[in-house]
Amino acid sequence: MYIERLDGPNEVKGISPVGSRLPIGVGSGGLALLAAMEPREAEALLCVNEHRYRAFGRHTSSILRSRLLEAQDVGYAKTISFVRPDMGSLGVVVPQIGQIPKFAVSIVFDIGKVGPFEDLLSEVRAAASQVARALTLTDSRPQGSALS
């Protein structure tokens, strides 16, 4: 589920609104989460969602499995939209020490307008680290504090 959206200087049209849901793996954030799981667990989720993937095309499942293998290999997820082939996305998990990641940060971009990939990856990883720090601060507050 998308929980927040921040628009950059180049607005991207046709992106799912906050609160919307996609089957896990269709977006780069969900794909990054799948890649961080044990392979058997990721495969089980792909199988359970098989019927939902058909809405994105008949070869979606095999494409997702291929993308998943790449994401597991490189440590981040990179996708091309099933709906808009001119759009790509990049996702990384939010690191959580001693836990299976539950959150991811992703960016959607126009493939023809994106700058150097390594710069983009660095920015997304930095954003994921910021979220991780914020989660750590939230988790370390005493129970019953005004901010809990």
Side-chain angles (χ1 to χ4, degrees):
M1 173 184 285
Y2 295 107
I3 59 173
E4 185 173 8
R5 176 181 169 161
L6 302 173
D7 290 324
N10 299 317
E11 184 178 351
V12 177
K13 303 281 186 197
I15 302 303
S16 301
V18 171
S20 64
R21 294 174 177 230
L22 290 173
I24 191 163
V26 170
S28 62
L31 187 61
L33 289 170
L34 282 171
M37 295 176 186
E38 291 294 324
R40 284 192 329 247
E41 184 180 5
E43 180 59 30
L45 283 171
L46 288 173
C47 289
V48 166
N49 283 285
E50 190 83 36
H51 67 285
R52 296 179 74 206
Y53 296 139
R54 288 189 198 112
F56 296 89
R58 64 186 183 143
H59 299 295
T60 302
S61 293
S62 61
I63 293 169
L64 287 178
R65 283 178 173 84
S66 175
R67 290 178 179 176
L68 177 58
L69 289 173
E70 180 183 359
Q72 289 167 330
D73 187 45
V74 298
Y76 58 86
K78 186 170 56 171
T79 66
I80 295 172
S81 172
F82 287 105
V83 178
R84 294 200 39 208
D86 60 325
M87 303 305 297
S89 67
L90 173 65
V92 299
V93 296
V94 173
Q96 295 178 272
I97 297 172
Q99 298 180 36
I100 296 172
K102 296 180 227 100
F103 305 102
V105 172
S106 63
I107 185 169
V108 175
F109 51 87
D110 182 321
I111 291 172
K113 295 181 182 177
V114 70
F117 179 77
E118 290 303 321
D119 292 348
L120 190 62
L121 178 58
S122 179
E123 288 183 39
V124 174
R125 284 184 168 152
S129 293
Q130 287 179 330
V131 172
R133 283 192 296 280
L135 289 171
T136 301
L137 291 173
T138 302
D139 289 345
S140 65
R141 283 197 310 256
Q143 290 294 334
S145 74
L147 299 174
S148 308

